Amino acid sequence: MKIGVPIEIKKHEYRVGLAPHHAAAYVKAGHEVYIQHDAGVGSGYSDEAYTAVGCKILPTIEDVYAKADMIIKVKEPIEHGTKPEYDGVSEYKLMREGQILYTYFHLAADKALTKACVEKKIIAIAYETIRDRKGALPCLKPMSEIAGRLSVQEGAKYLEKPFGGRGVLLGGVTGVLPANVLVLGGAGVVGRNAVAMAVGLGANVTAVDVNLDALTEMDTHYAGRVHTLYSTDEAVREEIAKADLVIGAALIPGAATPQLIRKEHLPLMKKGAVIVDVAIDQGGTCQTSHVTYHDNPVFEEQGVIHYCVGNMPGAVPCTSTLALNNATLKYGLAIANKGYKEALKADPGLMLGLNAHLGKLTCKPVADFHGMEYTDPNTLF
């Protein structure tokens, strides 16, 4: 199979779909791997590092899309490049009928992309909906871990007065209480990592979730150092009024995120409090959230600072590229080695990653959310 790895054309996205030694696994398996010139530079990989393991370098993104049977990337295809040098480039136009795209899609948050996948008749295999034998989300997990940890790191910074925040030190100091950190969706992967970071920095942490078993585990693990709370509208209203930092970490796999914080809730919050909406790539936990970028990551709404970067792990590409590649490699190799049909039929969890197939929408949460026709992928082949 011909594998193509384009540069990411989203602004301030430095990750790459394949690191050199992961690309080498495809070459060793007999596949041709084509890397766009400088695609790996943001993650610390030169073109020479790729050619040393048998990859071929192509000059432009157009060349990569035209050559490849399967595109392996990080972020969803975008209609208009937001990196200055890719202004006017549309990945929608570059996608070809029958071409496999193996990447994050987050289709529930983007109806235009959903329609483009259907209209272009691509085979869209989404990292975020692949499940393993335990029912977990193995290709989403590493980026969720990173985003959860970064959320507290970034939230602590934007609580500082020069950045518009209240001027609160997360861990407090002798004789002064620590900040209150509220993690919505605290029992998920993002939430657990945010809780761990906030506890490590000495904050007063409350984790809110609907998963009582997971909250029980958290109670036991932290021996009372984390307050756990079952999620209801009233509980959320009460806790956001106390919070200095709110981490939005709720997730429904493949579907839009429930908006737990609504516009009318913001006046309840402290002036200069910070919301880090990690779930923004699935629509956001807060009704007033909208996507931001690393060069201008925050905005203020009713006195509350919103941090809503849609590709948080892109800020630490040397870590996140490797973490992502480690998780996605075995599934990508299965697709390349067996062909996508046989790979999907052999692995029900990978079949769940099929979001669109040759003009049909095959992810039910996405179809339901957008009011589009759904096709059961198990009936296709």
Side-chain angles (χ1 to χ4, degrees):
M1 186 177 284
K2 295 177 181 177
I3 311 297
V5 181
I7 202 166
E8 299 293 328
I9 64 173
K10 176 171 280 192
K11 184 166 58 171
H12 296 291
E13 179 53 70
Y14 305 104
R15 291 171 289 179
V16 63
L18 286 177
H21 61 273
H22 294 85
Y26 286 89
V27 175
K28 187 176 180 180
H31 306 291
E32 299 176 31
V33 180
Y34 296 90
I35 309 291
Q36 185 182 342
H37 170 57
D38 280 351
V41 167
S43 294
Y45 306 120
S46 65
D47 287 352
E48 289 74 21
Y50 287 102
T51 57
V53 298
C55 300
K56 300 173 184 177
I57 304 299
L58 293 177
T60 70
I61 191 169
E62 291 84 359
D63 292 329
V64 172
Y65 270 89
K67 192 79 171 179
D69 303 312
M70 177 164 70
I71 295 289
I72 299 178
K73 60 195 306 292
V74 179
K75 292 302 291 177
E76 71 282 354
I78 57 177
E79 188 170 11
H80 302 290
T82 50
K83 283 184 177 176
E85 63 270 36
Y86 289 96
D87 181 38
V89 174
S90 171
E91 288 180 290
Y92 290 12
K93 294 179 180 178
L94 297 177
M95 300 187 302
R96 305 192 324 270
E97 180 175 341
Q99 189 172 50
I100 303 166
L101 266 73
Y102 180 48
T103 187
Y104 288 116
F105 279 92
H106 300 295
L107 293 179
D110 194 336
K111 191 167 187 177
L113 175 58
T114 304
K115 288 183 174 180
C117 291
V118 171
E119 290 169 1
K120 297 291 287 190
K121 297 183 178 181
I122 66 163
I123 298 148
I125 301 177
Y127 297 156
E128 72 272 11
T129 59
I130 295 170
R131 290 186 181 270
D132 62 20
R133 292 180 180 178
K134 297 179 180 178
L137 302 165
C139 299
L140 187 61
K141 182 182 178 182
M143 297 303 96
S144 296
E145 291 176 336
I146 291 170
R149 297 179 188 198
L150 273 175
S151 68
V152 176
Q153 184 173 305
E154 296 298 318
K157 179 169 71 177
Y158 286 98
L159 271 174
E160 296 175 16
K161 198 70 173 179
F163 293 101
R166 295 190 65 234
V168 176
L169 181 64
L170 215 60
V173 70
T174 303
V176 181
L177 291 173
N180 294 322
V181 176
L182 174 65
V183 184
L184 301 175
V189 177
V190 171
R192 291 198 305 271
N193 281 272
V195 166
M197 288 292 285
V199 169
L201 289 171
N204 180 43
V205 183
T206 299
V208 175
D209 208 288
V210 294
N211 187 335
L212 287 174
D213 290 339
L215 291 178
T216 298
E217 291 177 9
M218 190 172 287
D219 270 332
T220 302
H221 179 76
Y222 286 104
R225 288 180 295 158
V226 173
H227 310 292
T228 59
L229 188 64
Y230 185 79
S231 182
T232 65
D233 285 347
E234 189 57 35
V236 171
R237 284 173 59 92
E238 290 180 2
E239 293 304 315
I240 62 174
K242 305 172 190 175
D244 299 293
L245 171 61
V246 178
I247 308 296
L251 171 71
I252 300 175
T257 300
Q259 293 187 331
L260 302 178
I261 303 174
R262 296 186 293 276
K263 189 172 184 178
E264 61 265 27
H265 291 161
L266 296 188
L268 303 174
M269 298 183 67
K270 301 172 184 177
K271 299 299 181 185
V274 175
I275 297 171
V276 178
D277 202 340
V278 184
I280 190 63
D281 55 5
Q282 285 287 101
T285 307
C286 182
Q287 188 179 41
T288 48
S289 293
H290 61 76
V291 173
T292 59
Y293 295 90
H294 289 292
D295 59 345
N296 189 20
V298 298
F299 61 91
E300 182 182 325
E301 179 79 25
Q302 298 187 54
V304 177
I305 306 301
H306 293 54
Y307 179 101
C308 303
V309 174
N311 61 329
M312 290 177 66
V316 287
C318 293
T319 299
S320 54
T321 287
L322 289 175
L324 178 61
N325 279 207
N326 290 343
T328 59
L329 179 63
K330 74 171 185 177
Y331 298 105
L333 279 174
I335 295 165
N337 291 342
K338 299 176 182 179
Y340 80 91
K341 290 182 181 180
E342 292 305 314
L344 295 176
K345 287 192 289 184
D347 186 342
L350 182 56
M351 180 71 84
L352 291 171
L354 184 66
N355 279 209
H357 181 267
L358 300 179
K360 298 181 184 297
L361 195 56
T362 53
C363 181
K364 194 172 190 305
V366 172
D368 289 347
F369 184 76
H370 291 312
M372 298 172 68
E373 184 179 351
Y374 164 71
T375 299
D376 183 346
N378 293 290
T379 65
L380 294 175
F381 18 83

